[in-house]
Amino acid sequence: MIRRVLHASPGEAGVATPLVVLTVMGLVTLAAVGVLALAYSATARSVRAAADLVAVSGAQAYARGGDACDEARRIAGRNQVDMAECEVTGDLIDFVVEVRVSHGVGWRLPGLPDTVAATAYAGNVTGAP
């Protein structure tokens, strides 16, 4: 059996190295962007959950005759979010507590905000479906 050994010509030596380096750099960049996007998404989800908890806590305090915004601010602090806004609409029987909370993402990416904010509502409205 005759075997041929292919040899690259001297001008072709090392041609694949830049292609491999560029491919690896592209994959690493893509993975880093994916990880940052997932971290941003997780932060947004936790801020929305914290906003819901803060609003419900404020509504419960208001229903018991307490100050809704003080309780909401306390719960926001315990959940490590900043309460930017709190408003109670209605009376003791029909009311809605509206809160807006935010939290810093911790890193800055071009095109994405450095904080995530969420608004939540809770209360007692009679006759609502």
Side-chain angles (χ1 to χ4, degrees), residues 59-66 88-96 123-126:
Q60 285 180 340
Y62 190 76
R64 289 188 304 250
V88 179
T89 306
D91 57 18
L92 190 56
I93 296 179
D94 290 331
F95 65 90
V96 174
N124 184 29
V125 180
T126 59

Side-chain angles (χ1 to χ4, degrees), residues 12-121:
E12 296 177 356
V15 171
T17 302
L19 294 175
V20 170
V21 169
L22 286 175
T23 302
V24 169
M25 286 176 50
L27 290 174
V28 167
T29 301
L30 186 63
V33 168
V35 166
L36 291 176
L38 287 174
Y40 186 84
S41 175
T43 300
R45 188 174 25 253
S46 68
V47 168
R48 284 191 304 270
D52 289 339
L53 179 62
V54 168
V56 168
S57 298
Q60 285 180 340
Y62 190 76
R64 289 188 304 250
D67 188 342
C69 292
D70 282 347
E71 180 67 9
R73 193 170 291 107
R74 185 181 75 80
I75 297 300
R78 294 186 82 184
N79 283 278
Q80 300 173 348
V81 293
D82 299 318
M83 192 170 75
E85 188 178 314
C86 177
E87 183 179 340
V88 179
T89 306
D91 57 18
L92 190 56
I93 296 179
D94 290 331
F95 65 90
V96 174
V97 177
E98 175 184 356
V99 296
R100 180 167 179 80
V101 298
S102 63
H103 183 67
V105 177
W107 33 262
R108 182 78 171 115
L109 273 181
L112 291 178
D114 55 351
T115 60
V116 177
T119 302
Y121 306 89

